[in-house]
């Protein structure tokens, strides 16, 4: 049995093309979607992500603002900016890149984002809407992207056992909620650092979602033959043979696992490109809901 390599670049490209047409229509009606991306500090990975988000906006015709604030920015200054963006009619989505510097209380900052502009889906109002399965809320972009990949490849979820490794508010918990929802109807187990015998648990899974941030942790002995493996990890590991001195690997040991599963997302080129496509989709959705 040959393994399907899930092509997130291709799926995200098609989604972006659809969004571009939607943005053109909205713009013609005087409703150009707008996204504000806020970065505090100089974390190199965050700088790359924020750059990609702004570039994606430009490609789609979405108005964007990039706020690169110094690492010393206070909580009060950040909250003041968010209030300004909440009141700005050109802006329909507000995103504060995570993680912020340690002196910033991220949860408190998120509470200040107007939930109608919370395109990351991190505000408690949107967390509640996901749990309640209310359609007008915002779902975090990475798990939303994973669901789109399953849909694009006609991978069934109903009645399947999904094991989500990781319990973060950005990926693990929303992913579990999406899979268990009445739309997807999977049976879901959330595993984490204290789970007993993780390989044995994972071997009972039809779908594994790896979102722990530990390079190549998921090995072949975690995988039931024919399982679907979605790798959310983006880890930099030292590699002197590369021009940048590092390479990117996922949370799954791709070479070890690949032949055993029926479908797998590579890193890079799997889940990663979907995250930005879903951010664009959420921004267009926010614009529609705020300007209708
Ligand atoms: N850092 C890593 N992923 C994300 C994301 O989806 N949104 C934000 N704001 N920060 C992140």
């Amino acid at each position: 049995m040959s393994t399907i390599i899930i092509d997130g670049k291709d799926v995200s490209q098609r989604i972006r093309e659809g969004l571009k047409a939607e943005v053109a229509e909205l713009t013609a009606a005087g409703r150009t979607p707008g996204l504000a991306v806020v970065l505090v500090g100089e974390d190199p990975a965050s700088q790359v992500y924020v750059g990609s988000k702004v570039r994606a906006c430009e490609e789609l015709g979405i108005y964007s603002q990039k706020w690169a604030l110094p690492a010393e920015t206070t909580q009060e200054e950040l909250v003041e900016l968010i209030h300004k963006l909440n009141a700005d009619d050109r802006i329909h989505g507000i995103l504060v890149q995570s993680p912020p510097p340690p002196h910033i209380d991220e949860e408190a900052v998120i509470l200040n984002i107007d939930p109608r502009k919370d395109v990351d889906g991190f505000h408690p109002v949107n967390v509640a809407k996901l749990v309640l399965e209310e359609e007008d809320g915002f779902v975090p972009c990475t798990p939303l992207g994973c669901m789109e990949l399953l849909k694009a490849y006609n991978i069934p979820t109903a009645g399947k056992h999904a094991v989500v490794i990781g319990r973060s508010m950005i990926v693990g918990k929303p992913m579990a909620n999406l899979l268990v929802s009445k739309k997807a109807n999977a049976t879901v187990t959330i595993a984490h650092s204290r789970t007993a015998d993780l390989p044995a648990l994972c071997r009972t899974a039809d779908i594994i979602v790896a979102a722990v941030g530990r390079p190549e942790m998921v090995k072949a002995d975690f995988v039931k033959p024919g399982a679907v493996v979605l790798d959310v990890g983006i880890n930099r590991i030292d590699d002197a043979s590369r021009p940048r001195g590092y390479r990117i690997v996922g949370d799954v040991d791709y070479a070890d696992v690949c032949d055993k599963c029926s479908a797998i997302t590579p890193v890079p080129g799997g889940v990663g490109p979907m995250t930005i496509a879903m951010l664009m989709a959420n921004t267009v959705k926010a614009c529609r809901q705020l300007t209708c």
Side-chain angles (χ1 to χ4, degrees):
M1 187 179 64
S2 66
T3 306
I4 295 167
I5 313 299
I6 297 175
D7 187 344
K9 259 182 156 165
D10 176 61
V11 177
S12 72
Q13 184 60 34
R14 275 187 276 139
I15 290 173
R16 286 199 216 193
E17 277 161 21
L19 288 170
K20 195 170 178 174
E22 271 192 70
V23 170
E25 238 173 72
L26 285 164
T27 298
R31 299 164 65 194
T32 304
L35 175 69
V37 183
V38 182
L39 171 65
V40 186
E42 281 96 37
D43 177 64
S46 290
Q47 282 174 332
V48 173
Y49 296 143
V50 163
S52 308
K53 290 170 185 179
V54 170
R55 243 187 345 270
C57 285
E58 285 163 2
E59 280 167 26
L60 265 57
I62 293 176
Y63 168 71
S64 67
Q65 291 181 1
K66 177 178 158 186
W67 294 83
L69 308 179
E72 316 77 66
T73 303
T74 65
Q75 176 98 5
E76 290 70 30
E77 287 166 334
L78 180 55
V79 167
E80 198 182 312
L81 170 61
I82 286 168
H83 289 167
K84 211 167 82 180
L85 296 170
N86 282 341
D88 188 335
D89 287 340
R90 296 169 300 175
I91 298 296
H92 309 102
I94 302 169
L95 175 155
V96 180
Q97 187 64 28
S98 181
H103 68 279
I104 300 282
D105 178 348
E106 191 174 10
E107 275 180 38
V109 169
I110 290 165
L111 276 178
N112 283 278
I113 299 175
D114 182 335
R116 297 170 304 168
K117 296 191 176 187
D118 169 38
V119 284
D120 259 331
F122 294 168
H123 191 287
V125 164
N126 286 314
V127 177
K129 282 180 184 282
L130 171 58
V131 176
L132 294 165
E133 302 187 36
E134 289 179 13
E135 295 281 325
D136 64 340
F138 294 98
V139 176
C141 302
T142 301
L144 197 54
C146 289
M147 296 306 288
E148 285 294 324
L149 287 178
L150 294 173
K151 215 190 306 170
Y153 281 81
N154 292 316
I155 294 169
T157 53
K160 303 294 182 189
H161 182 209
V163 172
V164 178
I165 316 173
R167 55 180 156 185
S168 72
M169 293 303 294
I170 297 190
V171 184
K173 284 182 185 155
M175 187 76 224
N177 275 118
L178 287 169
L179 285 163
V180 83
S181 72
K182 291 192 187 73
K183 266 191 184 165
N185 290 305
T187 303
V188 182
T189 305
I190 305 180
H192 47 78
S193 53
R194 304 287 288 269
T195 295
D197 201 348
L198 182 61
L201 173 69
C202 289
R203 281 196 298 275
T204 69
D206 304 302
I207 300 167
I208 296 175
V209 182
V212 262
R214 287 183 49 192
E216 300 180 325
M217 189 193 79
V218 175
K219 307 284 185 193
D221 68 325
F222 286 51
V223 179
K224 175 169 74 177
V228 173
V229 176
L230 303 182
D231 187 353
V232 175
I234 302 177
N235 308 291
R236 286 185 182 197
I237 59 169
D238 292 340
D239 185 343
S241 72
R242 299 293 175 102
R244 290 199 176 97
Y246 67 85
R247 67 193 158 93
I248 302 290
V249 299
D251 292 348
V252 176
D253 187 335
Y254 184 87
D256 200 35
V257 163
C258 188
D259 289 344
K260 221 170 164 187
C261 41
S262 59
I264 186 167
T265 59
V267 175
V271 174
M274 295 300 292
T275 297
I276 293 187
M278 293 301 103
L279 175 65
M280 300 297 107
N282 277 351
T283 302
V284 170
K285 177 179 175 181
C287 171
R288 285 195 185 284
Q289 292 184 165
L290 281 162
T291 64
C292 62

